[in-house]
Amino acid sequence: MKYLKKYKLFTEEADFDVNITDEPDLKMAKEKLATLKTNLADYKTKKPIIDAAYLTIKIDDDLQKKTEEIMGKTDIQSGKDRNPFLVEYLHVSNLKRKINNLQNELVKDKLSKDDFTEELSLSTESSTKASINSKISDITNRISAKTTNIALLSKEVTDAEKELQTKMFNVEKEMQDYIKKISSKV
């Protein structure tokens, strides 16, 4: 008999079907489990799509349309809930996008600094040299500011990703606890 109970738990974990004879608490727990299971699976499949969209799409309106296409427009009050894990991951993707943009600007600044340094070496007039030196110092200041900003944003990204992973782990653990509660009631 104990093997039959384990098989029943196995089949119940597989699909979490709500039966008509289920008590309201059990029914609600099964529905919550099914929602959590789909949210976790949805997160794993749509995360790379969101990353690709945030790193390739340059126009904000197009990016918003793409995220609405991926996740939907509705919020909790107006209809079907959006996946909370994906909503939180949008913040991480936005930070990654800012880092990518800063890195691109950093490369441009370094190239222009190299151009001005070369122009400085070719210049003979003192007024031109002073002007180029001031431009080089401005670019150097921007480069250092962007470098520190990138470091801060990178730390924020790792912290946000770690927090999201911890939250997902806790939700999965909660889901397993619900499975145990459901199986003990059956």
Side-chain angles (χ1 to χ4, degrees):
M1 287 304 281
K2 87 176 184 184
Y3 297 113
L4 290 176
K5 185 175 181 181
K6 287 182 182 179
Y7 177 72
K8 187 173 182 176
L9 292 175
F10 172 75
T11 57
E12 189 163 0
E13 285 181 26
D15 57 351
F16 302 116
D17 288 335
V18 177
N19 297 327
I20 298 171
T21 59
D22 287 341
E23 295 178 17
D25 293 339
L26 184 60
K27 180 181 176 182
M28 194 165 75
K30 284 183 178 181
E31 289 172 351
K32 185 172 182 176
L33 281 172
T35 303
L36 287 174
K37 187 176 178 182
T38 55
N39 282 345
L40 290 172
D42 198 33
Y43 172 81
K44 291 175 183 173
T45 57
K46 291 184 177 179
K47 178 184 169 190
I49 298 169
I50 290 173
D51 281 337
Y54 266 81
L55 293 178
T56 57
I57 298 174
K58 302 296 180 199
I59 302 169
D60 289 338
D61 291 337
D62 293 343
L63 181 62
Q64 184 176 359
K65 288 177 186 176
K66 183 67 175 178
T67 56
E68 286 177 358
E69 178 184 313
I70 294 170
M71 296 177 38
K73 293 188 232 184
T74 59
D75 283 333
I76 294 171
Q77 291 85 12
S78 60
K80 182 185 174 208
D81 296 350
R82 295 196 314 176
N83 188 334
F85 305 122
L86 288 175
V87 171
E88 285 187 36
Y89 189 72
L90 288 179
H91 173 68
V92 174
S93 292
N94 193 28
L95 291 174
K96 287 181 179 179
R97 183 178 187 209
K98 287 179 183 177
I99 290 172
N100 190 31
N101 290 341
L102 283 174
Q103 287 173 338
N104 290 339
E105 291 174 12
L106 193 64
V107 168
K108 290 178 185 176
D109 283 344
K110 286 181 180 179
L111 289 174
S112 63
K113 181 181 175 183
D114 290 343
D115 290 342
F116 282 125
T117 305
E118 186 177 324
E119 188 177 328
L120 180 66
S121 66
L122 297 176
S123 178
T124 56
E125 293 181 24
S126 63
S127 63
T128 307
K129 284 185 176 188
S131 172
I132 293 173
N133 275 330
S134 69
K135 289 179 182 179
I136 289 175
S137 66
D138 289 343
I139 292 172
T140 304
N141 291 338
R142 279 194 312 220
I143 288 173
S144 65
K146 287 177 184 175
T147 304
T148 56
N149 205 1
I150 287 172
L152 291 173
L153 286 174
S154 296
K155 184 182 180 326
E156 195 174 337
V157 165
T158 55
D159 290 345
E161 283 180 331
K162 187 190 296 184
E163 182 180 323
L164 182 61
Q165 292 298 326
T166 303
K167 183 177 180 179
M168 288 178 60
F169 175 75
N170 290 339
V171 167
E172 284 179 318
K173 185 178 176 192
E174 182 181 320
M175 186 166 67
Q176 290 172 352
D177 291 342
Y178 277 127
I179 290 170
K180 288 178 185 175
K181 287 178 184 178
I182 289 173
S183 63
S184 67
K185 289 186 178 185
V186 173

